[in-house]
């Protein structure tokens, strides 16, 4: 069932062509705006990928909420629905990340190119469940999009060394970007991966809990004949 | 439109209405032959091709296979003193119903009287504030709104719902297509968002019966239906009933009520 849900979700995402184009354009616009400064360009590109995937995830989960509730009423598992939809979103995000990795490889002379791949993959893997969490807590598109805007804009503006930035979900993206681009030590990579691991576990657990709470139907006893 | 074009339009419309293509061709050929024998243009004899095809399709359509004998089965839904409150507003008060397999119950009431809420309570998507709800495990549920995904085709819906019921993709599509034909509709490779409101509703209803459930919950399933589709729907309801399923239908069309086993009238909180 999970595979069918993932395949179905991929088709749904693929058919929202205008939304997909905008999602792809967002990181590109960030990248182009800072193309003259390598470090900033890659940082902003990665944050743009995270923002785009989280927004896609938010809209995908909000739009499928009614159908998912109907499916759980007739026997679908909320976990399978969440995992299937997340798999489709992660696949879409990773495909986009692969394209942008190619763009960076072609247009930039990066100190540690392999770390850019790690940076983009970890960003996508955080963004997909992050969008799900927001959609399940704020089940309307506008409110959810504004919440993501607040989180991402703060992430971009906050001092990376400050507590606020570290409490936000994509701090790992900034650390891993620094490791990929700047001549810094391995501690940036380790801190980034550790933060990624904590955030991805927290987001996934929160998304799963919220999905089960919101989608699980009432357990009704069978009537005696 | 010449006679050949009339013939082709009739054939095409019959196929669109879910008539088996061979049967559609035979009906169209018979009509053309009859017109030829009478020496009249088919449009003069039968009227517009699409309208005549619609009448032919209604006459040709057979009810889905169902045993003729009607027997009451075990209880599939039992509501006892069900209440539902949203904060201070009481939506349902003391609702009682016993529905057996082989029976149809209609839920009626004014707008805002809690009909859809009651269906949600029966489905398990809404928690009752009080009373007891017992129902069969295998249910079909067609909600009034948001029952289909606008970016999926009917076949993709069938595969998705089929997967939930443990059906293979081929079987799910074949079953969905067969059930759609009973409602005078042949699914095409078009996403649901581009279907008319009535056709979306047919898809909604078909998804609710894909797994031959023991209890079928329908929330105003005929919205957007034309007269023939409406009659087809009730033929389907009786076919499910005769096959042993219990059917709970939310309706506001009072002339349906003499054909059902139970009528549950809900009163809105402002009417009490």
């Amino acid at each position: 069932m999970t595979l069918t849900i993932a395949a179905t979700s991929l088709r749904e995402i693929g058919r929202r062509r205008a939304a997909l184009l905008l999602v792809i354009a967002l990181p590109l616009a960030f990248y182009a705006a800072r193309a003259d400064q390598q470090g900033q360009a890659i940082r902003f590109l990665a944050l743009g990928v995270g923002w785009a995937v989280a927004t896609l995830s938010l809209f995908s989960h909000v739009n499928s909420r009614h159908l998912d509730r109907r499916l759980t009423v007739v026997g679908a598992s909320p976990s399978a629905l969440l995992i299937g939809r997340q798999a489709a979103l992660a696949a879409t995000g990773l495909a986009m990340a692969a394209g942008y990795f190619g763009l960076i490889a072609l247009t930039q002379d990066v100190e540690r190119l392999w770390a850019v791949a790690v940076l983009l993959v970890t960003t996508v893997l955080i963004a997909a469940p992050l969008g799900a969490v927001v959609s399940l807590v704020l089940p309307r598109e506008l409110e959810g999009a504004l919440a993501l805007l607040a989180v991402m804009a703060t992430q971009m503006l906050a001092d990376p060394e400050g507590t606020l930035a570290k409490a936000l979900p994509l701090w790992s993206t900034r650390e891993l970007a620094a490791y990929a681009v700047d001549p810094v030590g391995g501690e940036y990579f380790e801190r980034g991966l550790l933060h990624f691991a904590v955030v991805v576990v927290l987001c996934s657990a929160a998304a799963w809990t919220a999905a089960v709470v919101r989608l699980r139907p009432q357990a009704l006893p069978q009537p005696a004949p | 439109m010449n006679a050949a074009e009339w013939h082709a339009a009739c054939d095409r419309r019959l196929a669109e209405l879910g008539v088996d293509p061979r049967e559609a061709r035979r009906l169209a050929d018979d009509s053309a032959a009859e017109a030829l024998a009478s020496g009249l243009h088919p449009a003069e004899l039968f009227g517009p091709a699409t309208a005549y095809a619609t009448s032919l399709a209604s006459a040709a359509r057979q009810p889905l296979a169902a045993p003729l004998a009607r027997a009451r089965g075990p209880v599939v839904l039992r509501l006892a003193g069900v209440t539902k409150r949203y904060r201070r507003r009481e939506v349902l008060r003391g609702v009682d119903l016993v529905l057996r397999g082989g029976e149809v119950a209609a839920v009626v009431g004014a707008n805002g009287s809690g009909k859809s809420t009651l269906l949600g309570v029966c489905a398990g998507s809404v928690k009752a504030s009080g009373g007891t709800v017992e129902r069969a495990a295998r249910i079909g549920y067609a909600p009034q709104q948001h029952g289909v995904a606008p970016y999926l085709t009917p076949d993709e819906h069938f595969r998705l719902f089929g997967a939930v019921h443990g059906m293979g993709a081929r079987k799910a599509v074949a079953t969905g297509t067969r059930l759609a034909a009973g409602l005078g509709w042949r699914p095409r490779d078009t996403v649901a968002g581009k279907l008319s409101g009535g056709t979306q509703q047919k898809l909604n209803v078909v998804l609710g019966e894909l797994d031959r459930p023991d209890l079928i919950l329908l929330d105003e399933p005929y919205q957007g239906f034309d007269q023939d589709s409406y009659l087809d729907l009730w033929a389907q309801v009786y076919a499910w009933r005769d096959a042993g399923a219990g059917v709970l239908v939310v309706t506001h069309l009072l002339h349906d009520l003499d054909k059902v086993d139970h009528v549950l009238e809900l009163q809105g909180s402002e009417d009490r």
Side-chain angles (χ1 to χ4, degrees), chain B residues 27-181:
Chain B
L27 290 167
D29 287 349
D30 285 353
S31 305
E34 203 174 327
L36 188 65
S38 67
L40 292 171
H41 188 285
E44 288 179 64
L45 190 61
F46 301 116
T50 52
Y52 184 63
T54 305
S55 316
L56 276 179
S58 291
R61 204 170 295 135
Q62 296 296 316
L64 295 179
L68 293 174
R70 185 178 168 211
R72 260 79 168 178
V75 175
V76 291
L77 177 68
R78 181 179 285 122
L79 306 174
V82 170
T83 60
K84 177 63 188 175
R85 284 179 168 278
Y86 290 107
R87 295 186 179 159
R88 288 187 177 180
R89 193 165 69 91
E90 186 178 56
V91 181
L92 299 172
R93 180 195 289 175
V95 178
D96 299 303
L97 176 71
V98 177
L99 180 68
R100 293 180 169 276
E103 290 183 336
V104 179
V107 182
V108 298
N111 291 338
S113 60
K115 302 189 292 293
S116 295
T117 301
L118 179 65
L119 224 69
V121 167
C122 296
S125 61
V126 176
K127 186 178 183 182
S129 306
T132 58
V133 182
E134 299 171 350
R135 67 150 169 79
R138 290 177 63 241
I139 67 163
Y141 175 43
Q144 188 178 12
Q145 291 180 317
H146 310 300
V148 301
Y151 290 99
L152 294 181
T153 66
D155 282 3
E156 288 162 357
H157 279 90
F158 299 149
R159 282 197 282 271
L160 178 60
F161 278 71
V164 173
H165 296 309
M167 298 164 78
R170 268 190 186 180
K171 186 183 174 193
V173 171
T175 305
T177 305
R178 179 174 57 79
L179 295 170

